[in-house]
Amino acid sequence: MKEIPKSTKVVVIGGGVAGCSTAYHLAKFGWKDTILLERDQLTSGTTWHAAGLVSQLGPSAAITKIRKYTTDLYKELEKKTGFSAGLKLNGALSIASTKGRWQELQRQATTAQLFDVNVELLNTQQVKEKYPIINEKDILGGIFMKGDGQADPIGVTNLLAKAAKEEGVKIFEKSPVEKILVKNGRIAGVKVNNQTIECEYIVLATGMWSRQIGEELSVSIPLYPAEHFYIITEPIKDLPKDLAVLRDFDNRLYLKEDAGKLLVGIFEGKSIPAFAKTNKVPNDFSFGEFPENLDHFEPYLEASFKRVPTLEKVGIRKFLAGPESFTPDTNTLLGEVPEVKNFFVCCGFNSIGIGSGGGAGKVTAEWMMSGHINEDLFIYDIKRFQKFHSEVNFITERITETLGDLYGMHWPYKQHKTSRNKKLFPYHEELKKAGACFGVSSGYERPMWFALNNEKAEFKYSYNYQNWYPSVEFETKNTRENVGLFDLTAFSKYELKGEKTHGELQKICTANIKDETGKTTYTQMLNKDGGIETDLTVVCLDKNYYRIVTSAANKEHDKFHILKHLSKEVEFKDVSDELACLGVFGPKSRILMSKISKNDLSNENFKFGTGKKITINNKEIWAQRLSYVGELGWELYINMQDAKEIYNLIIEAGKEFNLSNCGMLAMDTMRMESGYLHWGHDMSPEENQYEAGLQFAISYKKNIDFIGKKALLKIKEKKQNKKLSMFILKNNKPGEPLLLHDEPIYNDKNIVGRTTSGNFSFNYNKNLAFGYINSELIEKDKTNKQNLFIEVEKIKYPAEIILKPLNNKNIKNI
């Protein structure tokens, strides 16, 4: 038996597809000093019983890239090693039997064009031709993806393991990690088979065990296994060997040909959490299965008989019920955890590990080696979650829903129903009585919109006209004409103190941070390659005392980035849950505020972009004159215990000025009307400030080598390939079409860009979109000569660029 080394650079824990892929890529990219420890045998856990589907198209460009790379890698390694991954790329067919699903598939086919994925749109007859054994009676249409198919999970893992060994990785089976060692908040090593291996980095690729391994170190890894079911039939006479993989989303079924048999699997609407008695995955559950549960499976089996009548005539050879781990949002967990330095994860694959494991391993290796990622992968970053997401009560309830989300409708604006009401504002009941329809933001129940005329405050999901449009029309118009009250409490808020604070903020921010009490600075923070990591406001509260305010959803991500670059001499505190924040915005906001506060709020005394303490009802409140909606107004930062009292006071005083409660959807519409960008949609590490039109937030004058400055200076000298622009459609009916993001932008017949945000503006009666396009197209003299279109559901809608925001008010001098 090989001897385990006493030290190494990286220890990869877990010998499934994720661990083997990460180890291979680390060694291939130069970190040869990598070992992989598997507590039992390679593939034990969940890899061995995976259905092995591979598909190219993902919900974003970066994920599509991961999936395409995965399939290409398996092909390449098969040739290189002479070892088979059991690849059968006969294509995949997805069908729709409801109107909403058919729209969803057409949107997928439209988006696929941005990523060079070949997707054919099929009518009912063409579906039958592609899949002769199907019952096509209720099918509206389908999409066929030529390069998709299936692979053998055990073959793929052994292929990656073989390639990793050839690159110098040492793999040790029967080597369970007893303890992960941490010193001074950083990975120090592992204990295995009663010996210690010192190491600098760990990659946790331990699948369904990951949450409980993390728990031992107070590291939050939000995933949990559900029982996942499939059957394999007896051999079927004359079954075509080149049969495509079939996905019948509306019946929650997938089918694949398996050596002359059919495998039929399900992603049911309500799943069964595994190991419910103990909420622990046993350490020895290596190739374990659960008892057959035909009662649970039967309705789906019946549906499969209707879809593929042949199935009714054949017996079942194998019924498999095995564990498969799922995350709170059905997306993978990658990246460095915030709690321990150099501790990376590559897990939570939600049943698509074989189809994305190759690319996920590559991204993990790159992330480790450069310390950041230059792609928009926040959707996969473990730091999109908070501590409570991995608590047993939250995660076991949530995965009953998220397993089903894979094949459920992916409606725009969809909210989860499980594990709700975890964090409530002090005035939650008041918001509820006012007709709030809630969505989750940073764990908080935050109003999305307010129902009118005692209607039910709930989403009726659609790909067309939204049932909340009348509410948003009222809220946005009223804020532009009178005054709107917006809840901003979910925003992430951090306070920094100490003599070196200003100097360190100058180092991590691109703008020149004002160090005068009450002054605010809008800025970005970058990685060393110039990619935009965070979008934020910094306010100087007092001498050597600052507050950073960033997006609600980015709480852990932004905190991690800031702390990574701050010295111990700066005192850092996350005050997100200590301060409520209310936005009072609109032309009548000053007279309303003057009614509840005796402070002088005139333009002369309270300039735009400044903040100061004011008194409301004998309570000291920090007010700052900023607005994400492009109107006169104030953000009020209130101690949480006083928030309910102040909220009620504003509502009461506001009656005289026609004040309306307003939700997130109104704010998103108004920020687009005003030309304001949103991190995660309109900017990400994939873009730089010149491309995003944010060069005004760069200060080369400050005499400091801020992070990303060297990269920016090089970028500045080059012509940018793409630029963010604003578009309106010539069609101005709400929901016709529903603009979201990732819709192709055409100039005549050529795709020249993609959208990043979309909304309907009721104030200006326009379908509005932001998007990146080829920078040559937006030179001013060419703008009106372009034949531009935005494509939605395979229909091209005439569009035009606008050079100024629809709402172009100068709110600085009001």
Side-chain angles (χ1 to χ4, degrees), residues 493-732:
K493 304 170 282 282
Y494 321 110
E495 292 187 355
L496 289 76
K497 287 181 183 174
E499 281 184 25
K500 295 201 169 176
T501 307
H502 181 255
E504 297 205 17
L505 281 170
Q506 290 283 60
K507 189 188 162 198
I508 60 178
C509 298
T510 60
N512 190 19
I513 304 301
K514 301 179 186 85
D515 63 346
E516 188 183 328
T517 301
K519 291 287 177 78
T520 66
T521 313
Y522 172 65
T523 184
Q524 284 80 46
M525 294 180 183
L526 311 179
N527 59 43
K528 66 175 189 287
D529 297 321
I532 302 170
E533 288 286 344
T534 77
D535 180 61
L536 61 148
T537 300
V538 181
V539 57
C540 180
L541 297 172
D542 207 339
K543 188 172 170 59
N544 301 325
Y545 183 18
Y546 296 82
R547 182 182 293 143
I548 286 173
V549 182
T550 76
S551 153
N554 300 5
K555 184 180 170 184
E556 291 300 327
H557 171 276
D558 290 2
K559 187 200 297 190
F560 176 83
H561 181 82
I562 294 161
L563 286 171
K564 189 176 174 180
H565 299 291
L566 274 190
S567 73
K568 293 270 165 51
E569 291 166 83
V570 174
E571 186 189 323
F572 176 96
K573 190 181 182 192
D574 182 346
V575 294
S576 302
D577 297 337
E578 293 176 23
L579 294 171
C581 184
L582 296 171
V584 183
F585 303 133
K588 294 182 183 173
S589 57
R590 184 177 279 121
I591 46 171
L592 165 56
M593 291 279 292
S594 298
K595 193 174 179 187
I596 58 173
S597 173
K598 292 188 171 68
N599 296 78
D600 181 355
L601 303 174
S602 66
N603 190 48
E604 294 70 36
N605 190 56
F606 207 138
K607 296 280 185 202
F608 178 82
T610 66
K612 60 177 70 172
K613 288 173 182 171
I614 65 170
T615 304
I616 299 177
N617 225 27
N618 298 319
K619 302 283 189 298
E620 195 175 70
I621 284 163
W622 180 267
Q624 51 197 42
R625 204 178 134 198
L626 291 173
S627 146
Y628 195 43
V629 300
E631 287 293 333
L632 171 68
W634 283 264
E635 295 174 354
L636 305 177
Y637 292 84
I638 310 157
N639 287 329
M640 206 61 101
Q641 64 268 26
D642 301 328
K644 185 173 175 177
E645 178 189 328
I646 302 299
Y647 170 85
N648 285 326
L649 193 74
I650 294 169
I651 290 290
E652 190 54 40
K655 287 175 183 172
E656 188 185 333
F657 309 104
N658 293 325
L659 174 134
S660 59
N661 274 299
C662 299
M664 279 288 300
L665 294 168
M667 175 174 271
D668 194 52
T669 301
M670 295 180 81
R671 68 98 186 165
M672 285 189 69
E673 289 173 346
S674 306
Y676 300 151
L677 309 190
H678 185 266
W679 192 94
H681 276 102
D682 312 310
M683 55 177 140
S684 75
E686 215 162 285
E687 287 83 34
N688 64 60
Q689 288 159 294
Y690 289 101
E691 291 170 331
L694 294 168
Q695 54 269 39
F696 65 87
I698 306 169
S699 171
Y700 293 118
K701 286 179 186 171
K702 62 176 182 176
N703 191 19
I704 195 153
D705 192 17
F706 61 83
I707 294 162
K709 183 177 180 179
K710 283 179 186 153
L712 276 188
L713 287 166
K714 287 179 186 166
I715 289 163
K716 186 185 176 192
E717 297 308 312
K718 289 180 187 167
K719 191 173 180 186
Q720 301 308 305
N721 292 328
K722 62 179 185 180
K723 274 270 173 79
L724 190 74
S725 297
M726 296 176 285
F727 302 85
I728 52 171
L729 295 189
K730 292 176 183 174
N731 176 21
N732 55 13

Side-chain angles (χ1 to χ4, degrees), residues 86-136:
L87 277 179
K88 278 173 63 182
L89 302 179
N90 294 331
L93 173 64
S94 297
I95 57 169
S97 48
T98 61
K99 184 196 170 207
R101 182 73 69 185
W102 183 221
Q103 287 182 280
E104 182 175 299
L105 293 185
Q106 288 176 91
R107 281 179 179 259
Q108 283 183 13
T110 307
T111 304
Q113 298 166 137
L114 292 168
F115 312 139
D116 293 327
V117 175
N118 182 7
V119 176
E120 289 175 55
L121 216 55
L122 308 180
N123 61 29
T124 311
Q125 186 52 42
Q126 290 167 317
V127 166
K128 179 74 173 172
E129 286 163 15
K130 284 279 183 207
Y131 207 90
I133 57 174
I134 203 165
N135 170 12
E136 78 281 15

Side-chain angles (χ1 to χ4, degrees), residues 213 419 480:
I213 293 170
S419 300
R480 296 259 182 253

Side-chain angles (χ1 to χ4, degrees), residues 413-466:
Y413 311 103
K414 188 177 176 183
Q415 296 289 327
H416 284 113
K417 291 179 179 173
T418 52
S419 300
R420 292 291 296 267
N421 296 318
K422 297 294 175 185
K423 289 164 87 174
L424 304 179
F425 300 142
Y427 36 86
H428 177 80
E429 287 304 315
E430 282 78 358
L431 293 169
K432 203 171 170 182
K433 281 175 197 155
C437 177
F438 293 100
V440 179
S441 184
S442 192
Y444 281 106
E445 296 292 328
R446 190 176 184 184
M448 301 298 284
W449 50 278
F450 288 82
L452 301 171
N453 310 318
N454 294 317
E455 284 184 15
K456 207 169 183 188
E458 67 177 26
F459 283 100
K460 290 177 186 166
Y461 296 121
S462 164
Y463 274 111
N464 300 104
Y465 185 92
Q466 301 293 303

Side-chain angles (χ1 to χ4, degrees), residues 306-363:
K306 285 176 186 163
R307 182 57 69 217
V308 180
T310 308
L311 286 168
E312 209 165 359
K313 301 178 197 132
V314 292
I316 296 172
R317 173 170 283 193
K318 167 83 179 161
F319 186 108
L320 185 124
E324 182 74 59
S325 60
F326 289 81
T327 64
D329 61 359
T330 331
N331 284 315
T332 299
L333 303 174
L334 300 181
E336 191 173 3
V337 303
E339 299 93 342
V340 179
K341 280 186 180 161
N342 293 353
F343 187 149
F344 283 76
V345 293
C346 184
C347 53
F349 281 91
N350 304 280
S351 276
I352 47 174
I354 306 304
S356 51
K362 172 181 181 272
V363 163

Side-chain angles (χ1 to χ4, degrees), residues 758-798:
N759 259 315
F760 187 83
S761 163
F762 292 96
N763 282 305
Y764 299 93
N765 199 35
K766 297 287 181 197
N767 271 302
L768 178 61
F770 290 176
Y772 284 93
I773 62 167
N774 183 321
S775 52
E776 286 177 14
L777 291 175
I778 47 176
E779 290 170 23
K780 287 182 185 179
D781 58 329
K782 292 183 180 178
T783 302
N784 297 320
K785 297 173 192 168
Q786 302 307 321
N787 210 6
L788 294 175
F789 301 90
I790 293 176
E791 188 178 18
V792 182
E793 291 173 31
K794 300 302 281 183
I795 298 168
K796 293 187 179 74
Y797 293 87

Side-chain angles (χ1 to χ4, degrees), residues 262-277:
L262 275 176
L263 180 150
V264 181
I266 62 168
F267 286 103
E268 66 274 35
K270 189 171 184 192
S271 71
I272 304 168
F275 312 109
K277 283 182 184 170

